[in-house]
Structure formats: structure tokens, C-alpha cells
Amino acid sequence: MTIRLPDSTGGLRTYEPRPEPFAVTPGAPFTSRTVFSAAHVVADPFADTTPDSPAAVDWDATLAFRRHLWSHGLGVAEAMDTAQRGMGLDWAGAAELIRRSAAEARAVGGRIACGVGTDQITAGSLAEVRAAYEEQLALVESSGAQAILMASRALAAAASGPEEYLEVYGHLLRQAAEPVVLHWLGPMFDPALAGYWGSSDLDAATDTFLQVIAAHPDKVEGIKVSLLDAQREIDIRRRLPQGVRCYTGDDFNYPELIAGDDRGFSHALLGIFDPLGPLAARAVRVLDTGNVAGFRELLDPTVELSRHLFQTPTRFYKTGVVFLAWLAGHQSHFTMVGGLQSARSLPHFARAYELADGLGLFPDPKLAEERMRNLLALYGVTQ
């Protein structure tokens, strides 16, 4: 059977769904790369909430999705941008998410790293920003998870230059009990982070970022770069101190960055590996054998879907991620915290369905087709 899907011109096109999913099964732990998926949260669809009220989370479904990722060998990057930090999930919700996910990770033996930010305050002095970071760092460390020091909107607003970034991050790294991951999130993901590291000049900002790492190499396990600029990531990667890893956060160029070159490679901490988890895991296991061409053959075709989900405004990529989780049967509904399911258009959803189905990402293609038809009918599209 075929399905009629709307396109960006206002017309309808005919698509024939794939009959079978891409065959994937859990396998051995990865040996050549460390791979994290930044995971989404599942909203409680029956909660009586509004877009500006505290998030109501379906904890059972949220944790079940993390077990799905762990079962395929991926680590979980928790309470990050993909989990709608600052876009529907406040600090109280993130703190509970960290506690619950870290406990689940211990129970199943899964790897977990959690975001440390300052979102319990909207603005403040540098001292208040440091205190907010410290509160979150203490919670993540007490949960037993690795800390990811995320970029802070409050710090971007409070800092007047690179020296203040060096002071705040140096203070935090000296306090950290274990090596952390530093995260540089670009303004395409969060416009409030423009000019991070004290300059809108990316070369100057990069120098400050690398100064932080060079001053505390024993406290930085790795960095996550989310600038959607492959060459800049490669340049940063080549300037890192020995032993400091680069985790790509580039959802446009991840296959080539993970594959690497004769001078190094990136590990992965990616939002796109939420919907791609099983397929990405299979690709990395192929890479573990030294088969770079086979790895690229599996992962390169996924880039079109990723670029579609992360198209501008990039910060709304979470909507497509949750949409695909619903179609794949990982949750029973397409409701998001903060009402973010309204952030993308019907043609956007239709193309996401078509691309994901073409890759075989849906374990039950018939279920995905049925749910897509239901969404189309809700919007008034007759078949």
C-alpha cells in the first residue's frame, strides 16, 4: 500500500513504505570509539500542564528508552539539550532525571554522563553562576555519573570577556572529583550562547576554550563540540593535549568525523544517535573491525535525515527526535514537555517519516505507517 504525504509546496506525493526494518541486534561492546546518545525525555500525556508549567515526565517510558540505548551498547548523555534542558525541562525536572537515570544505569551496567549547567537561575553575578554550577556538579557526582559541563546562558550574560570564562571554568575544574567533559554548544542550538568563551570571533573563542583545557588537562576527560563546522572540530581536535578526547556533537558531519583521518578521530556524543541508536551501534562495530568503508556505507545514508531534523531553527530538532521515537513504538504518544510537538510543520514530519522509513529505522514499519496516517488524518489529510 502507498501513503500520501504532504510536501513543502502544499501538494501531496505518494510514498510506498518499506516492508521490513533494518536488521540490528545487540552485540559486543565497542572497542574503537566511545559513543553516547543524548537521550530525549517522554512527557506524561495525561498531565494537566501548560507550556510554561513544570515538566510532567513519564518516568517509566523515559527510563525504558535509556535501557533500549544501553542494550545496543551506547552510553547515555543525560539531561542535555536533547532532553529539552531550558526548553521545557527545568532544573528540578533535570535533577530528578539525573537521579533516576543514574540509578538505572547502575542497575543495568550502562554508561552515563550527565549535564551540569546553571538553569536554576536565569541571570546573576559570576559568583551566583559559579554557585549554580557547583550545586549541579555536586548532584551529578553524588549520583555516580560522569559530569558534562554545559555552556551556560547565565555565564554568557554575566561574563564581560574571556578572563571570566577562564576563572569560572578553572574554579569548577579544580573542584571536580573526576575528569569531566567540556561542552561547547553553538548559538545555532541556543541563540543565548552567542559569543561564548568571551568573543563572537570563533578563532578567539577557540583559543580561550583550549586555554581552559591546557590549564587543567588532568580534569578534562574530553570535549564535546557542537558547532556544525567539521573543519573547526578537526582543528580543535588536533590541538588537544594528549589523552583528552574529542566527542563530536556535529549532527551534520558525524560519519567523517568519527571515521577520522591519519591524524586522529572523534568519539561521539550526538542527539541524532537517539533515533539512530541501533543502526549507529552496528556501524561502530563495523568500524571496530577496521572497516572504515563499511562504517561509512552504513552511516553516510543517515546524514540526510539528520540534516533534515536539525535544519534551522536547529534548536527545534528535539521535536523530530521525539516524533520518530513515537513512530518507532518507544512511546505511545507524540506529546512533548512544554508543548514542543508544535514546533515543526506537517511537511517536516512527513519528510522525517519518509527518510527514517527508508533507512529501516522503525522496528515495526506497519505501526509507524499507521501512526503516520493517524497524524495526517488529524491534520485533515485524506488517503
Side-chain angles (χ1 to χ4, degrees):
M1 294 180 64
T2 60
I3 182 173
R4 294 201 303 164
L5 300 173
D7 59 30
S8 59
T9 69
L12 294 170
R13 66 183 184 280
T14 299
Y15 173 70
E16 184 175 350
R18 178 174 174 148
E20 299 293 337
F22 183 83
V24 290
T25 56
F30 308 141
T31 58
S32 65
R33 303 291 189 273
T34 299
V35 180
F36 288 96
S37 165
H40 74 279
V41 295
V42 183
D44 178 355
F46 302 120
D48 186 10
T49 60
T50 61
D52 57 356
S53 62
V57 177
D58 181 337
W59 295 112
D60 289 341
T62 293
L63 294 177
F65 188 76
R66 281 133 183 82
R67 291 194 296 272
H68 154 72
L69 294 172
W70 284 319
S71 75
H72 287 280
L74 289 87
V76 167
E78 189 56 276
M80 301 289 291
D81 191 50
T82 307
Q84 295 182 241
R85 285 291 289 272
M87 289 187 68
L89 187 71
D90 61 11
W91 167 236
E96 184 65 14
L97 178 63
I98 289 166
R99 284 189 286 263
R100 288 176 181 256
S101 291
E104 195 73 16
R106 290 194 300 273
V108 303
R111 182 165 183 171
I112 188 168
C114 299
V116 169
T118 64
D119 47 332
Q120 66 271 55
I121 62 173
T122 56
S125 66
L126 289 176
E128 289 169 326
V129 171
R130 284 196 303 270
Y133 264 130
E134 289 169 345
E135 178 188 357
Q136 296 200 16
L137 179 61
L139 184 143
V140 169
E141 290 186 336
S142 67
S143 76
Q146 183 179 16
I148 302 172
L149 291 186
M150 301 194 300
S152 162
R153 293 173 179 172
L155 180 55
S160 60
E163 296 78 11
E164 291 174 331
Y165 285 89
L166 293 169
E167 190 277 326
V168 169
Y169 276 92
H171 177 83
L172 294 169
L173 290 172
R174 286 189 294 271
Q175 285 193 38
E178 299 292 339
V180 308
V181 174
L182 293 183
H183 185 192
W184 184 358
L185 189 70
M188 67 288 295
F189 290 94
D190 187 343
L193 298 176
Y196 211 74
W197 304 111
S199 178
S200 56
D201 181 310
L202 285 179
D203 290 337
T206 296
D207 288 342
T208 302
F209 182 52
L210 290 169
Q211 281 184 58
V212 171
I213 300 162
H216 307 275
D218 58 324
K219 288 296 186 74
V220 180
E221 184 268 335
I223 63 167
K224 178 183 187 291
V225 183
S226 299
L227 299 175
L228 303 183
D229 183 337
Q231 189 56 54
R232 182 165 297 276
E233 178 175 322
I234 292 170
D235 292 343
I236 292 173
R237 186 173 76 196
R238 290 174 177 171
R239 295 172 64 186
L240 291 175
Q242 184 71 27
V244 176
R245 294 177 170 181
C246 180
Y247 291 94
T248 187
D250 188 331
D251 299 276
F252 284 3
N253 304 293
Y254 51 93
E256 64 192 77
L257 290 165
I258 298 169
D261 54 32
D262 58 356
R263 296 178 60 184
F265 57 82
S266 294
H267 299 270
L269 198 166
L270 289 161
I272 192 57
F273 280 7
D274 179 304
L276 291 183
L279 193 158
R282 178 170 174 179
V284 173
R285 290 191 176 96
V286 170
L287 185 60
D288 287 345
T289 69
N291 185 355
V292 176
F295 166 79
R296 295 294 298 268
E297 183 179 348
L298 285 168
L299 214 54
D300 281 359
T302 70
V303 171
E304 186 178 5
L305 171 63
S306 188
R307 286 178 175 259
H308 177 71
L309 296 185
F310 285 78
Q311 68 183 222
T312 56
T314 302
R315 64 187 182 278
F316 294 131
Y317 77 87
K318 299 92 160 172
T319 301
V321 165
V322 175
F323 172 67
L324 294 183
W326 171 56
L327 293 185
H330 294 297
Q331 53 196 81
S332 62
H333 60 86
F334 179 37
T335 301
M336 297 177 66
V337 298
L340 207 65
Q341 67 271 15
S342 66
R344 292 295 198 189
S345 68
L346 185 61
H348 182 89
F349 293 138
R351 183 60 177 157
Y353 163 73
E354 184 178 6
L355 291 170
D357 182 73
L359 292 168
L361 294 184
F362 303 129
D364 184 344
K366 287 297 183 184
L367 174 65
E369 179 186 345
E370 178 185 352
R371 290 183 169 182
M372 188 68 224
R373 288 181 185 275
N374 288 340
L375 183 68
L376 291 167
L378 182 66
Y379 276 79
V381 179
T382 58
Q383 297 296 319

